[in-house]
Amino acid sequence: MRVILAEDSTLLREGLVRLLVEEGHEVVAAVGDAVSLMKEVEEQTPDMVVVDIRMPPTHTDDGLRAALEIRKRWPGISLLVLSQHVERNYAAQLLASNAERVGYLLKDRVAQVEEFLDALERIHAGGAAIDPEVVRQLVIRTTHGDPLARLTPRERSVLETLAQGHTNTAIAQKLHISLSSVEKNLNTIFDKLDLSHTAGYSRRILAVLRYLES
């Protein structure tokens, strides 16, 4: 795929460039600020953009705002947003309109090369990749009256893995259960959470995350 990287840390940026090139991808641009990112996206129209949330010029949410603008202007471009810490509000903003061709990973996940590359492939294929730690912090809410409290430990595990962006087959492999067991658990989860049925697993991810963030 043709990729644009936006990361203000030169060391991380160059490391990502090398990794992607070694995997056979074409890095058409690697920039260190949000303004340059938007310029390169407009000129290059890449398949994928990998962008840090906090970067110049203000070092606040410039990368996120650029990502949201890219989603609006070029909906066909896949997006992977990187963050130093779990920032649930940012994740919710990114996923608010569509959970297809989008990912939200912590920077620590980049060091786990296989997971990082797997996330890129899932996003590029039209799916989603949400960092397990982001999902974990959302799912661990067990306040009084929370419908999540009605889920069994197995159902919680399935929900967490689903929300990370995995297909039913991948969930079965990761949790060492049968595919039919995954499907049964998912049906029970959505019944317990009173979520409407949706077509496509990425839309189900969006429904779960919207519910958990409400």
Side-chain angles (χ1 to χ4, degrees):
M1 69 187 83
R2 299 173 67 252
V3 183
I4 288 180
L5 294 173
E7 164 61 53
D8 62 328
S9 167
T10 303
L11 184 62
L12 179 56
R13 185 171 68 244
E14 293 305 315
L16 286 172
V17 169
R18 178 174 297 183
L19 173 62
L20 292 172
V21 170
E22 288 177 351
E23 289 297 316
H25 303 300
E26 179 186 0
V27 179
V28 297
V31 300
D33 64 87
V35 175
S36 298
L37 168 61
M38 295 305 298
K39 178 182 177 182
E40 291 292 344
V41 170
E42 188 165 9
E43 292 180 357
Q44 304 284 351
T45 315
D47 301 312
M48 168 82 70
V49 169
V50 180
V51 55
D52 184 15
I53 282 181
R54 298 181 182 274
M55 59 190 312
T58 69
H59 294 281
T60 55
D61 62 350
D62 299 82
L64 175 69
R65 286 188 285 112
L68 294 174
E69 182 65 18
I70 291 169
R71 294 238 81 182
K72 179 180 178 181
R73 295 173 59 183
W74 300 281
I77 295 178
S78 301
L79 279 171
L80 174 56
V81 172
L82 302 177
S83 179
Q84 189 68 43
H85 308 288
V86 176
E87 299 177 271
R88 292 186 297 177
N89 290 337
Y90 287 161
Q93 288 183 57
L94 185 66
L95 297 166
S97 60
N98 196 335
E100 297 177 352
R101 296 183 181 276
V102 66
Y104 183 102
L105 296 182
L106 297 182
K107 286 188 175 181
D108 288 347
R109 200 70 54 189
V110 176
Q112 301 174 33
V113 175
E114 291 303 320
E115 287 191 30
F116 174 69
L117 294 175
D118 177 64
L120 283 179
E121 293 298 331
R122 293 208 311 272
I123 296 166
H124 185 55
I130 312 302
D131 196 281
E133 186 58 31
V134 176
V135 175
R136 191 169 296 114
Q137 291 201 22
L138 292 174
V139 172
I140 295 179
R141 302 189 325 176
T142 55
T143 57
H144 179 69
D146 185 354
L148 292 177
R150 292 183 285 171
L151 300 184
T152 66
R154 170 62 72 193
E155 290 164 356
R156 281 177 173 269
S157 296
V158 171
L159 176 60
E160 287 187 24
T161 313
L162 167 70
Q164 291 167 31
H166 294 292
T167 62
N168 288 6
T169 301
I171 294 172
Q173 293 173 345
K174 284 182 172 292
L175 300 182
H176 306 290
I177 58 178
S178 67
L179 183 59
S180 62
S181 179
V182 172
E183 294 168 349
K184 180 180 178 181
N185 276 280
L186 286 176
N187 288 332
T188 303
I189 289 168
F190 282 100
D191 285 342
K192 288 184 176 180
L193 297 183
D194 297 322
L195 293 170
S196 60
H197 295 288
T198 56
Y201 80 93
S202 61
R203 291 183 181 180
R204 289 185 292 161
I205 297 167
L206 177 58
V208 171
L209 292 178
R210 276 182 172 172
Y211 185 87
L212 295 177
E213 193 64 11
S214 64

